[in-house]
Structures are given as structure tokens and as C-alpha cells.
Amino acid sequence: RASRYVSRSFVRIEDVNLSYNIPQRHLDKFNIENLRLFFNGKNLWTFTKWNGWDPETGQNITSGGRPVLRNYTFGINITF
């Protein structure tokens, strides 16, 4: 019985870090020295034709397999 080749090629958007510093002119009236908003994302998207949980590990969709977990963090850093 011949084995069938299945491509596990993929592109993954793995780490995204975005931040924005609020301009000082908006902060002066509130006595805030610095205000930064941020977003961090991990494993946001995987583009593949692999028909399983994770093409990187080769896990199929079975009871023993695990999907790639996504993680989102939103935050604010304030300095007075």
C-alpha cells in the first residue's frame, strides 16, 4: 500500500505587537505624563490547505489533537 503525500505547507501570522502613544497635547489637561495603548496577538491566523489542527506539528483532527491557541492582549500604560 503506497502512502499518500499531503503537504503541510503554511503561512502563520504568529506575533503582532501594535502600540499607540496618545499625543501630549491631549494629556496635559489631565496631568498625565504618558499614555500608551497596546495590542499583542499570538497565532492570529494560519493559512494552509492542511486538514488538521496544526500543520507545523502534523496533528490531525482527532480526540488526541489540540488546536493552535490564539492569545490576545489589550492594555493601557499610564504614567502620572
Side-chain angles (χ1 to χ4, degrees):
R1 174 176 155 175
S3 63
R4 186 173 71 104
Y5 172 78
V6 178
S7 174
R8 292 187 348 200
S9 61
F10 68 98
V11 172
R12 179 173 289 152
I13 298 177
E14 191 166 67
D15 291 303
V16 173
N17 300 301
L18 302 170
S19 66
Y20 178 72
N21 289 316
I22 304 297
Q24 191 63 45
R25 68 181 181 274
H26 299 302
L27 303 177
D28 287 339
K29 53 188 155 191
F30 300 106
N31 289 330
I32 297 175
E33 187 177 315
N34 187 40
L35 177 68
R36 183 173 67 95
L37 308 172
F38 66 88
F39 165 80
N40 298 322
K42 178 117 177 118
N43 297 322
L44 298 180
W45 293 280
T46 301
F47 302 96
T48 184
K49 292 184 180 179
W50 173 253
N51 193 20
W53 288 120
D54 185 5
E56 188 169 16
T57 62
Q59 289 184 346
N60 289 318
I61 297 178
T62 64
S63 61
R66 301 287 184 266
V68 177
L69 298 179
R70 290 186 181 125
N71 182 0
Y72 306 99
T73 304
F74 298 92
I76 300 173
N77 288 338
I78 301 175
T79 305
F80 292 96

